[in-house]
Amino acid sequence: MTNDVILQLVDISKSFGDTPALVDMNLSIRRNEFVTLLGPSGCGKTTTLRIIGGFEDADSGDLLFEGANINDLPAYKRKVNTVFQKYALFPHMNVFENIAFGLRIQKMDKKQIGKKVERMLRLVNLEGYGRRSVDSLSGGQQQRVAIARALVNEPQVLLLDEPLGALDLKLRKEMQLELKDMQQSLGITFVYVTHDQEEALTMSDTIVVMNNGVIQQIGTPEDVYNEPKNAFVADFIGESNILDGVMNEDFLVTFMGRKFKCVDQGFARDENVEVVIRPEDIRVVPANCGMLGGKVLSVTFKGVHYEMMIESKGITWMVHSTLMAGVGKEVGLDIHPNDIHIMKRGRTA
Amino acid sequence: MKQRWMAYPYIVWMILFIVVPLALVVFYSVTVQSGAGIRFTMENFRRCLDPIYIKVLIRSVVLALISTGVCLLLGYPVAWILSGKEYSKKKILYLLIVLPMWMNFLLRTYSWMTLLERNGVINFLLTRLHLPPLHILYTDGAVVLGMVYNFLPFMILPIYSVLSKLDGSMIEAAQDLGGDAFTVFRRIILPLSLPGVVSGITMVFMPAVTTFVISRLLGGGQFMLIGNLIEQQFLSSGDWGFGSALSVIMMLLILLSMGIMQRHEQESEGGVLW
C-alpha cells in the first residue's frame, strides 16, 4: 500500500501572518484515488491544494511526490495540474488555444497537439467548440474547458478547487458524475476541494474532513457519515442532534435524564461525552410508546421527507421522517442503540 | 436617457471651446486674407510640403517615437512592480511617480535646464569626480530626456491600471500548465496588458509629438520640432494660415496613428479600449 502512495504531506504547517492555516498536516494520497478535502471556508483545504500545486510554500514540513521531496520545485515543473475555482481561462485565446496551451509549451508538434485537443474536446462533450471564444461559453462549458485544459497534459494528479461551485444544482450533479467517470476511466489521482458535503459523499474514495487547519477525520464516505470521529464531523457531514451525556459504563449512556443502551465502549466510568444522533435515525411513534416524549414545534416538507422540530424536555430535536405528525401533536421518539454515537468531549478543534 | 439634460453644460462647453476653435483652425488653413476679402486657397498646405518643414515633421515624429519607446521600457517594469503583491513600499513608489505631476510642468522643465547646464549641478559633480563634463543641454538627447521625464507617468498609470486588474489565477494557471516566468509573461501577461500599453503609448506619443516647451527649453533651437514651428507662426510670424495648416496636418497625423493603434487593438483583443 505504501508503494502506491503518489503524494504525501508530512507535518505541513502554514500560517498567514498570525493566523495558522494548516497545523502539522499529514496526509497520504494513493495513486488513482479520489480524495476530497472537505470543510467550511477557512479550514485550510484550499491552502493545502495550493501547497500541492506549488502556488504557496509551506512554512514547515515536507511534500513528497512519488517519494521525492518537491518542496522547492516551482509550480511549472510539477506533474500536477489544477482546475481553478473560477476556471482562469485565458480570455485572449479561443477554446482550442486554451486547451493547447500546455502542449505548446512542451513544444509538441502541431499535428499531435491538434489530435490531443480534439480528443479532449470529445471527452468533455465540447466537440466543434474549438474556434469559439471562451467568453461565449456558458459556465458549465467553461468549466469543461478548464478541465480539458488541465487533463490534456496527462497529469498524474489533478487538483480541483471547488470546480463546480459556480454551477446550478442540476448541472452540478451531472458534472459530479461526469468527473467521477473521467477519474475512473483515465486512472488519474484527483484531489478535490469542496465545502459541499453531499458532493464529497457522492464522488470520493476518501474524504478528509478539515477544520481550522487540522484534519478531523480521514475515511471513506461511509466511514465519515456513519462513524464520525467527533461532533464537528458529525455536524458537518449531514445533520445531527448533538447532546451532552454521561457514559455510565460500556454500552450504557445517560442523556435527557434517561439511560440508553448503545454500542460504544472504552470510555472511563461516568465520563462526560457528546451524544450524536442523526435526524433520520429517530423514529416518531405514538405518544407514550417511545423512549422520549415530545411535542411537534414545526414541520417542513423537504421533498423526500419531512423535517420536524420536536421539543422534548427543553431540547429541540431535528427529526427526518417520511411520516408527518402535525404541529402541536404529542409524539414519542424512539432511538435504536446502533444509532447512538458517543464521542469524547473537546475533540473538536 | 432621461437625464440627457445633464450633458448640456458639457455640450455647450465642447461647442464653445473645441468645435468652434477647430472649425476656425480649418477655416484659417484653407483661406487667405487679402485686400479684396477672404479667398479659398491651398497655398498653406502646399508650403507645408517644403523639405525644410517635412524634415521638422519627421524629426518630431522620430523624437516622439524614441521617447515613447524609452517610456515603455522604463514604465512597464515599474507598472508591473506596482501591481504586484510582493513589494511592500508600493505606496511610496506610487507617490514618487505621481508627485512630479503636482508641480508645474514649466518649472520641472526649467529645473532640468539648471541640472544640465554647462556649469550645472551634474557637470559640477562630474568634474569633482574627475570625470569629463557632459554636454547634453540643447541636444536631441536633452529633448528626449525632458519628454521621458515629463510623460513617463502617462505610460506607467494606464499599464498599471490594467495589470492590477489582471486576474492572478490566470498567471497561476499558466504556471500550472508548465509556463516558466518568461513564457507566462509573453503568452499571458503581455497580451492581456496590451490595452494598457496601447493607451500608454497614445498618451505619451501625442503630447510628445506636439510639444514645443520641452524642445524650446532643452533643445534650444527655434525650428526644433513641429510644435515650435506652429507656435512661431502664431506668435512671431503672425502667419495664422500656415500655422493652422500645420496644425491640421498634425491632427490628421495623430488621428491616423490612433486609428492604426485601434485597429491593432481590435485584431488582438476584440477592441475594448475606445
Side-chain angles (χ1 to χ4, degrees), chain A residues 50 55 75-76 80-82 84 88-93 97 101-102 104-105 149-150 153, chain B residues 167 169-181 183-184 187-188 191-192 268-269:
Chain A
R50 290 176 60 78
F55 306 116
Y76 71 91
V80 299
N81 284 117
T82 309
F84 290 84
L89 299 177
F90 307 130
H92 57 302
M93 301 179 190
E97 283 305 320
F101 188 84
R104 293 229 194 276
I105 285 173
R149 185 178 67 176
N153 303 290
Chain B
D167 186 355
S169 67
M170 218 88 80
I171 295 167
E172 284 182 354
Q175 289 172 341
D176 186 77
L177 295 166
D180 55 23
T183 311
V184 174
R187 300 286 311 274
I188 307 295
L192 288 179
S268 64
E269 292 291 316

Short mmCIF file of all heavy atoms in Angstrom, two decimals, chain A residues 50 55 75-76 80-82 84 88-93 97 101-102 104-105 149-150 153, chain B residues 167 169-181 183-184 187-188 191-192 268-269:
data_model
loop_
_atom_site.label_atom_id
_atom_site.label_comp_id
_atom_site.label_asym_id
_atom_site.label_seq_id
_atom_site.Cartn_x
_atom_site.Cartn_y
_atom_site.Cartn_z
N ARG A 50 -3.18 24.51 -2.73
CA ARG A 50 -2.22 25.46 -3.31
C ARG A 50 -0.78 25.06 -2.98
O ARG A 50 0.12 25.33 -3.76
CB ARG A 50 -2.52 26.89 -2.83
CG ARG A 50 -3.81 27.44 -3.44
CD ARG A 50 -4.16 28.80 -2.89
NE ARG A 50 -3.12 29.79 -3.14
CZ ARG A 50 -2.94 30.39 -4.31
NH1 ARG A 50 -3.72 30.12 -5.32
NH2 ARG A 50 -1.96 31.27 -4.47
N PHE A 55 1.73 26.87 -5.52
CA PHE A 55 1.42 28.31 -5.51
C PHE A 55 1.62 28.92 -4.13
O PHE A 55 1.48 30.12 -3.93
CB PHE A 55 -0.01 28.54 -5.97
CG PHE A 55 -0.28 27.92 -7.29
CD1 PHE A 55 -1.21 26.91 -7.43
CD2 PHE A 55 0.44 28.32 -8.41
CE1 PHE A 55 -1.44 26.31 -8.66
CE2 PHE A 55 0.22 27.73 -9.63
CZ PHE A 55 -0.72 26.72 -9.75
N ALA A 75 6.00 25.65 -9.45
CA ALA A 75 4.72 25.13 -9.94
C ALA A 75 4.83 24.57 -11.36
O ALA A 75 4.27 23.52 -11.66
CB ALA A 75 3.66 26.22 -9.89
N TYR A 76 5.57 25.29 -12.23
CA TYR A 76 5.55 24.89 -13.63
C TYR A 76 6.31 23.60 -13.90
O TYR A 76 6.22 23.05 -14.98
CB TYR A 76 6.05 26.04 -14.53
CG TYR A 76 7.52 26.36 -14.47
CD1 TYR A 76 8.41 25.75 -15.33
CD2 TYR A 76 8.01 27.30 -13.57
CE1 TYR A 76 9.75 26.06 -15.30
CE2 TYR A 76 9.34 27.61 -13.53
CZ TYR A 76 10.23 26.98 -14.40
OH TYR A 76 11.55 27.29 -14.35
N VAL A 80 1.58 18.02 -11.66
CA VAL A 80 0.18 18.12 -11.27
C VAL A 80 -0.43 19.27 -12.06
O VAL A 80 0.26 20.18 -12.46
CB VAL A 80 0.02 18.39 -9.75
CG1 VAL A 80 0.62 17.27 -8.95
CG2 VAL A 80 0.65 19.72 -9.37
N ASN A 81 -1.70 19.19 -12.30
CA ASN A 81 -2.40 20.30 -12.94
C ASN A 81 -3.63 20.65 -12.12
O ASN A 81 -4.15 19.83 -11.38
CB ASN A 81 -2.79 19.94 -14.38
CG ASN A 81 -1.59 20.00 -15.31
OD1 ASN A 81 -1.19 19.00 -15.88
ND2 ASN A 81 -0.99 21.17 -15.44
N THR A 82 -4.03 21.91 -12.27
CA THR A 82 -5.09 22.43 -11.41
C THR A 82 -6.28 22.89 -12.23
O THR A 82 -6.11 23.49 -13.29
CB THR A 82 -4.55 23.61 -10.58
OG1 THR A 82 -3.34 23.22 -9.95
CG2 THR A 82 -5.55 24.05 -9.53
N PHE A 84 -9.02 25.56 -11.68
CA PHE A 84 -9.19 26.65 -10.73
C PHE A 84 -10.65 26.94 -10.46
O PHE A 84 -11.53 26.66 -11.29
CB PHE A 84 -8.49 27.91 -11.24
CG PHE A 84 -7.01 27.80 -11.22
CD1 PHE A 84 -6.31 27.20 -12.25
CD2 PHE A 84 -6.29 28.28 -10.13
CE1 PHE A 84 -4.93 27.09 -12.21
CE2 PHE A 84 -4.92 28.17 -10.09
CZ PHE A 84 -4.23 27.57 -11.13
N ALA A 88 -10.21 30.41 -14.57
CA ALA A 88 -8.99 31.08 -15.03
C ALA A 88 -8.66 30.74 -16.47
O ALA A 88 -7.50 30.48 -16.81
CB ALA A 88 -7.82 30.74 -14.11
N LEU A 89 -9.66 30.72 -17.33
CA LEU A 89 -9.39 30.53 -18.76
C LEU A 89 -8.74 31.80 -19.31
O LEU A 89 -8.96 32.88 -18.79
CB LEU A 89 -10.68 30.22 -19.51
CG LEU A 89 -11.41 28.95 -19.07
CD1 LEU A 89 -12.70 28.80 -19.83
CD2 LEU A 89 -10.53 27.73 -19.24
N PHE A 90 -7.94 31.62 -20.37
CA PHE A 90 -7.26 32.78 -20.95
C PHE A 90 -8.21 33.47 -21.93
O PHE A 90 -8.57 32.89 -22.96
CB PHE A 90 -5.98 32.35 -21.66
CG PHE A 90 -5.07 31.54 -20.78
CD1 PHE A 90 -4.55 30.34 -21.21
CD2 PHE A 90 -4.75 31.97 -19.49
CE1 PHE A 90 -3.72 29.58 -20.40
CE2 PHE A 90 -3.92 31.23 -18.68
CZ PHE A 90 -3.41 30.03 -19.13
N PRO A 91 -8.62 34.70 -21.62
CA PRO A 91 -9.66 35.34 -22.43
C PRO A 91 -9.18 35.71 -23.83
O PRO A 91 -10.00 35.93 -24.71
CB PRO A 91 -10.00 36.59 -21.63
CG PRO A 91 -8.80 36.86 -20.79
CD PRO A 91 -8.17 35.54 -20.52
N HIS A 92 -7.87 35.80 -24.04
CA HIS A 92 -7.38 36.22 -25.36
C HIS A 92 -7.12 35.02 -26.27
O HIS A 92 -6.55 35.18 -27.34
CB HIS A 92 -6.14 37.08 -25.21
CG HIS A 92 -5.01 36.41 -24.48
ND1 HIS A 92 -5.15 35.94 -23.20
CD2 HIS A 92 -3.76 36.13 -24.86
CE1 HIS A 92 -4.00 35.40 -22.82
NE2 HIS A 92 -3.15 35.50 -23.80
N MET A 93 -7.50 33.84 -25.83
CA MET A 93 -7.33 32.66 -26.68
C MET A 93 -8.68 31.97 -26.83
O MET A 93 -9.51 32.02 -25.93
CB MET A 93 -6.36 31.68 -26.01
CG MET A 93 -4.99 32.25 -25.73
SD MET A 93 -3.97 31.01 -24.93
CE MET A 93 -2.57 32.02 -24.45
N GLU A 97 -7.01 27.00 -28.29
CA GLU A 97 -5.71 27.50 -27.82
C GLU A 97 -5.59 27.38 -26.30
O GLU A 97 -4.50 27.15 -25.77
CB GLU A 97 -5.51 28.96 -28.26
CG GLU A 97 -5.14 29.11 -29.71
CD GLU A 97 -3.91 28.28 -30.08
OE1 GLU A 97 -2.96 28.22 -29.30
OE2 GLU A 97 -3.93 27.66 -31.17
N PHE A 101 -2.57 25.12 -24.66
CA PHE A 101 -1.52 25.94 -24.03
C PHE A 101 -0.37 25.11 -23.45
O PHE A 101 0.80 25.34 -23.74
CB PHE A 101 -2.14 26.80 -22.93
CG PHE A 101 -1.20 27.82 -22.35
CD1 PHE A 101 -1.01 29.04 -22.96
CD2 PHE A 101 -0.49 27.55 -21.18
CE1 PHE A 101 -0.14 29.97 -22.43
CE2 PHE A 101 0.37 28.48 -20.65
CZ PHE A 101 0.55 29.70 -21.28
N GLY A 102 -0.74 24.12 -22.65
CA GLY A 102 0.29 23.29 -22.01
C GLY A 102 1.12 22.51 -23.02
O GLY A 102 2.33 22.37 -22.87
N ARG A 104 1.68 23.32 -26.19
CA ARG A 104 2.55 24.24 -26.94
C ARG A 104 3.82 24.52 -26.15
O ARG A 104 4.90 24.65 -26.72
CB ARG A 104 1.84 25.55 -27.22
CG ARG A 104 0.67 25.43 -28.16
CD ARG A 104 0.74 26.48 -29.27
NE ARG A 104 -0.53 26.59 -29.98
CZ ARG A 104 -0.89 25.80 -30.99
NH1 ARG A 104 -0.08 24.85 -31.40
NH2 ARG A 104 -2.04 25.97 -31.58
N ILE A 105 3.67 24.64 -24.84
CA ILE A 105 4.85 24.90 -24.01
C ILE A 105 5.79 23.70 -24.06
O ILE A 105 7.01 23.85 -24.08
CB ILE A 105 4.42 25.23 -22.56
CG1 ILE A 105 3.85 26.64 -22.52
CG2 ILE A 105 5.58 25.09 -21.59
CD1 ILE A 105 3.23 27.03 -21.22
N ARG A 149 -8.29 21.53 -20.32
CA ARG A 149 -7.00 22.20 -20.38
C ARG A 149 -6.02 21.57 -19.40
O ARG A 149 -4.83 21.48 -19.66
CB ARG A 149 -7.18 23.69 -20.06
CG ARG A 149 -5.92 24.50 -20.22
CD ARG A 149 -6.15 25.95 -19.94
NE ARG A 149 -6.47 26.19 -18.53
CZ ARG A 149 -6.65 27.39 -18.00
NH1 ARG A 149 -6.55 28.46 -18.77
NH2 ARG A 149 -6.94 27.53 -16.74
N ALA A 150 -6.54 21.15 -18.25
CA ALA A 150 -5.66 20.52 -17.26
C ALA A 150 -5.37 19.07 -17.65
O ALA A 150 -4.22 18.63 -17.60
CB ALA A 150 -6.31 20.58 -15.88
N ASN A 153 -2.66 17.60 -20.47
CA ASN A 153 -1.24 17.44 -20.14
C ASN A 153 -0.95 16.10 -19.46
O ASN A 153 0.17 15.85 -19.05
CB ASN A 153 -0.78 18.57 -19.22
CG ASN A 153 -1.02 19.93 -19.84
OD1 ASN A 153 -0.36 20.29 -20.79
ND2 ASN A 153 -1.99 20.66 -19.32
N ASP B 167 -6.31 39.08 -13.47
CA ASP B 167 -6.66 38.02 -12.53
C ASP B 167 -5.42 37.16 -12.23
O ASP B 167 -4.85 36.55 -13.12
CB ASP B 167 -7.76 37.16 -13.17
CG ASP B 167 -8.29 36.12 -12.21
OD1 ASP B 167 -7.73 36.01 -11.11
OD2 ASP B 167 -9.24 35.42 -12.58
N SER B 169 -5.14 34.41 -10.86
CA SER B 169 -5.27 32.98 -11.11
C SER B 169 -4.94 32.64 -12.57
O SER B 169 -4.59 31.52 -12.88
CB SER B 169 -6.68 32.49 -10.76
OG SER B 169 -7.62 33.05 -11.62
N MET B 170 -5.05 33.65 -13.45
CA MET B 170 -4.66 33.43 -14.84
C MET B 170 -3.17 33.12 -14.93
O MET B 170 -2.75 32.24 -15.67
CB MET B 170 -4.95 34.71 -15.62
CG MET B 170 -5.48 34.49 -16.99
SD MET B 170 -7.24 34.35 -16.94
CE MET B 170 -7.67 36.07 -16.86
N ILE B 171 -2.38 33.87 -14.16
CA ILE B 171 -0.94 33.66 -14.15
C ILE B 171 -0.62 32.31 -13.52
O ILE B 171 0.21 31.55 -14.02
CB ILE B 171 -0.25 34.81 -13.39
CG1 ILE B 171 -0.47 36.12 -14.15
CG2 ILE B 171 1.23 34.53 -13.19
CD1 ILE B 171 -0.12 37.35 -13.36
N GLU B 172 -1.33 32.01 -12.44
CA GLU B 172 -1.11 30.72 -11.80
C GLU B 172 -1.48 29.58 -12.73
O GLU B 172 -0.79 28.55 -12.78
CB GLU B 172 -1.92 30.64 -10.50
CG GLU B 172 -1.30 31.44 -9.38
CD GLU B 172 -2.07 31.34 -8.08
OE1 GLU B 172 -3.17 30.73 -8.08
OE2 GLU B 172 -1.58 31.85 -7.08
N ALA B 173 -2.57 29.77 -13.48
CA ALA B 173 -2.98 28.72 -14.41
C ALA B 173 -1.88 28.49 -15.45
O ALA B 173 -1.57 27.35 -15.79
CB ALA B 173 -4.29 29.10 -15.09
N ALA B 174 -1.29 29.57 -15.94
CA ALA B 174 -0.23 29.43 -16.94
C ALA B 174 0.99 28.72 -16.37
O ALA B 174 1.61 27.89 -17.02
CB ALA B 174 0.15 30.80 -17.49
N GLN B 175 1.33 29.06 -15.13
CA GLN B 175 2.44 28.37 -14.47
C GLN B 175 2.09 26.90 -14.29
O GLN B 175 2.91 26.01 -14.53
CB GLN B 175 2.71 28.98 -13.09
CG GLN B 175 3.31 30.36 -13.15
CD GLN B 175 3.37 31.01 -11.77
OE1 GLN B 175 2.66 30.59 -10.85
NE2 GLN B 175 4.20 32.01 -11.62
N ASP B 176 0.87 26.66 -13.87
CA ASP B 176 0.39 25.31 -13.63
C ASP B 176 0.53 24.45 -14.87
O ASP B 176 0.83 23.27 -14.80
CB ASP B 176 -1.07 25.37 -13.18
CG ASP B 176 -1.61 24.02 -12.78
OD1 ASP B 176 -1.27 23.59 -11.67
OD2 ASP B 176 -2.33 23.41 -13.57
N LEU B 177 0.32 25.07 -16.04
CA LEU B 177 0.36 24.32 -17.29
C LEU B 177 1.79 24.22 -17.83
O LEU B 177 1.99 23.78 -18.96
CB LEU B 177 -0.55 24.99 -18.32
CG LEU B 177 -2.04 24.93 -17.94
CD1 LEU B 177 -2.85 25.87 -18.79
CD2 LEU B 177 -2.56 23.51 -18.08
N GLY B 178 2.75 24.65 -17.03
CA GLY B 178 4.15 24.43 -17.39
C GLY B 178 4.88 25.66 -17.88
O GLY B 178 6.01 25.55 -18.35
N GLY B 179 4.26 26.82 -17.79
CA GLY B 179 4.91 28.03 -18.29
C GLY B 179 5.92 28.58 -17.29
O GLY B 179 5.57 28.82 -16.14
N ASP B 180 7.17 28.78 -17.74
CA ASP B 180 8.13 29.43 -16.85
C ASP B 180 7.87 30.94 -16.90
O ASP B 180 7.00 31.40 -17.64
CB ASP B 180 9.58 29.09 -17.24
CG ASP B 180 9.87 29.41 -18.70
OD1 ASP B 180 9.16 30.26 -19.27
OD2 ASP B 180 10.81 28.83 -19.26
N ALA B 181 8.63 31.68 -16.11
CA ALA B 181 8.35 33.11 -15.95
C ALA B 181 8.27 33.82 -17.30
O ALA B 181 7.35 34.60 -17.55
CB ALA B 181 9.42 33.75 -15.07
N THR B 183 7.71 32.60 -20.38
CA THR B 183 6.55 32.16 -21.17
C THR B 183 5.27 32.79 -20.64
O THR B 183 4.42 33.25 -21.42
CB THR B 183 6.41 30.63 -21.11
OG1 THR B 183 7.68 30.05 -21.39
CG2 THR B 183 5.39 30.13 -22.11
N VAL B 184 5.12 32.80 -19.33
CA VAL B 184 3.92 33.37 -18.73
C VAL B 184 3.80 34.84 -19.11
O VAL B 184 2.73 35.32 -19.47
CB VAL B 184 3.93 33.21 -17.19
CG1 VAL B 184 2.75 33.95 -16.58
CG2 VAL B 184 3.87 31.74 -16.82
N ARG B 187 3.12 34.98 -23.13
CA ARG B 187 1.87 34.41 -23.63
C ARG B 187 0.64 34.96 -22.90
O ARG B 187 -0.45 34.95 -23.45
CB ARG B 187 1.88 32.89 -23.52
CG ARG B 187 2.99 32.20 -24.29
CD ARG B 187 2.70 32.19 -25.79
NE ARG B 187 1.36 31.74 -26.11
CZ ARG B 187 1.01 30.47 -26.26
NH1 ARG B 187 1.90 29.53 -26.12
NH2 ARG B 187 -0.22 30.16 -26.56
N ILE B 188 0.80 35.37 -21.64
CA ILE B 188 -0.38 35.75 -20.85
C ILE B 188 -0.34 37.23 -20.45
O ILE B 188 -1.21 38.01 -20.82
CB ILE B 188 -0.50 34.88 -19.58
CG1 ILE B 188 -0.47 33.40 -19.95
CG2 ILE B 188 -1.75 35.25 -18.79
CD1 ILE B 188 -1.63 32.93 -20.78
N PRO B 191 0.06 39.97 -23.56
CA PRO B 191 -1.15 40.16 -24.37
C PRO B 191 -2.33 40.72 -23.59
O PRO B 191 -3.09 41.53 -24.13
CB PRO B 191 -1.49 38.75 -24.89
CG PRO B 191 -0.41 37.86 -24.46
CD PRO B 191 0.57 38.59 -23.62
N LEU B 192 -2.46 40.32 -22.34
CA LEU B 192 -3.60 40.82 -21.57
C LEU B 192 -3.42 42.27 -21.14
O LEU B 192 -4.38 42.95 -20.83
CB LEU B 192 -3.85 39.93 -20.35
CG LEU B 192 -4.43 38.55 -20.65
CD1 LEU B 192 -4.60 37.74 -19.38
CD2 LEU B 192 -5.76 38.66 -21.37
N SER B 268 -6.26 42.12 -31.94
CA SER B 268 -5.68 41.23 -30.94
C SER B 268 -6.58 41.05 -29.71
O SER B 268 -6.51 40.04 -29.05
CB SER B 268 -4.32 41.77 -30.50
OG SER B 268 -4.49 43.01 -29.88
N GLU B 269 -7.43 42.00 -29.43
CA GLU B 269 -8.14 41.94 -28.16
C GLU B 269 -9.65 41.95 -28.29
O GLU B 269 -10.36 41.76 -27.32
CB GLU B 269 -7.74 43.15 -27.28
CG GLU B 269 -6.32 43.12 -26.81
CD GLU B 269 -6.10 42.03 -25.80
OE1 GLU B 269 -6.94 41.86 -24.90
OE2 GLU B 269 -5.09 41.33 -25.90
#
